[in-house]
Amino acid sequence: MKKWYLLMLLVLMALLVGCNSKNENPDSQSMTGYVMDKEGERILIVDDDTQDFSSIGGVKEFYNAIWFSEAPSEIREGDFVEVWFDMVAESFPGQSAIKIEVVKQEKPKGADLTKSEALHKLLTSDEIKKDLYGVSSIKYNEKEDTWNIALKNLLDDTSKPVSFTVVDN
């Protein structure tokens, strides 16, 4: 129970400290991250930058995660997006309504896929079970024509990132 209380406290701190205003509304917050899950019109965005709360007794790698409602139908798992929002429900992952834009990504030299497309391929495969993950890293290996994707389970702060290989085609 103490662990969940600390996690909730960290979520609130991350929302107050870690979000930048990029909208005309002064109360608006924003974040960038990957769409890690989609359920109907809801999408789960996990921040692509981690925060270190170990100096105050928290976790070393904290990934902000928020469920957003009313997502456009063209948004899909794996997309790298920027979202703007006002209030967030106090839960982990948090919950909010949004304005969302997909961030354009370039394909690395020799690649057929972007980072988002490679992540989408992994997240929609049978290779990965549905859980709450953050993206630890996504790298293209030109020699092998593969993507190396490392995901961190966000509900287990002691876990190490799990690596996956995605073929680039």
Side-chain angles (χ1 to χ4, degrees):
M1 187 66 156
K2 185 177 179 183
K3 193 177 201 179
W4 281 105
Y5 176 74
L6 181 60
L7 190 59
M8 296 301 292
L9 181 62
L10 290 174
V11 169
L12 288 173
M13 288 173 54
L15 291 174
L16 293 174
V17 175
C19 297
N20 300 321
S21 177
K22 292 189 180 178
N23 201 340
E24 292 178 12
N25 181 348
D27 296 326
S28 180
Q29 303 171 62
S30 70
M31 71 184 275
T32 56
Y34 289 97
V35 178
M36 297 303 289
D37 199 1
K38 185 171 183 176
E39 295 176 354
E41 292 183 352
R42 290 180 357 133
I43 55 174
L44 175 65
I45 307 294
V46 178
D47 201 333
D48 63 320
D49 287 326
T50 61
Q51 297 176 9
D52 183 355
F53 292 110
S54 60
S55 65
I56 58 171
V59 296
K60 183 165 179 63
E61 284 186 302
F62 175 77
Y63 291 82
N64 195 15
I66 302 175
W67 277 103
F68 292 100
S69 59
E70 303 172 18
S73 59
E74 65 271 8
I75 301 295
R76 63 186 200 160
E77 291 171 313
D79 281 348
F80 186 71
V81 297
E82 184 167 10
V83 294
W84 291 267
F85 54 96
D86 291 324
M87 299 184 341
V88 177
E90 294 181 17
S91 60
F92 187 77
Q95 300 176 46
S96 185
I98 60 165
K99 173 188 170 199
I100 184 168
E101 287 182 13
V102 175
V103 177
K104 298 279 187 206
Q105 295 180 326
E106 297 294 322
K107 295 176 185 174
K109 180 183 172 196
D112 295 319
L113 303 173
T114 64
K115 286 182 181 181
S116 291
E117 291 167 337
L119 182 60
H120 175 75
K121 192 172 178 179
L122 173 63
L123 293 175
T124 57
S125 73
D126 293 333
E127 186 175 354
I128 188 168
K129 67 177 188 165
K130 288 289 184 188
D131 217 334
L132 182 57
Y133 295 106
V135 176
S136 183
S137 67
I138 301 179
K139 295 180 181 158
Y140 177 65
N141 182 331
E142 188 176 4
K143 283 185 177 180
E144 296 180 15
D145 198 27
T146 59
W147 289 87
N148 300 314
I149 301 174
L151 302 179
K152 171 106 170 71
N153 185 325
L154 302 185
L155 297 178
D156 182 1
D157 58 330
T158 62
S159 72
K160 301 272 189 228
V162 178
S163 295
F164 299 90
T165 300
V166 174
V167 177
D168 182 68
N169 60 11

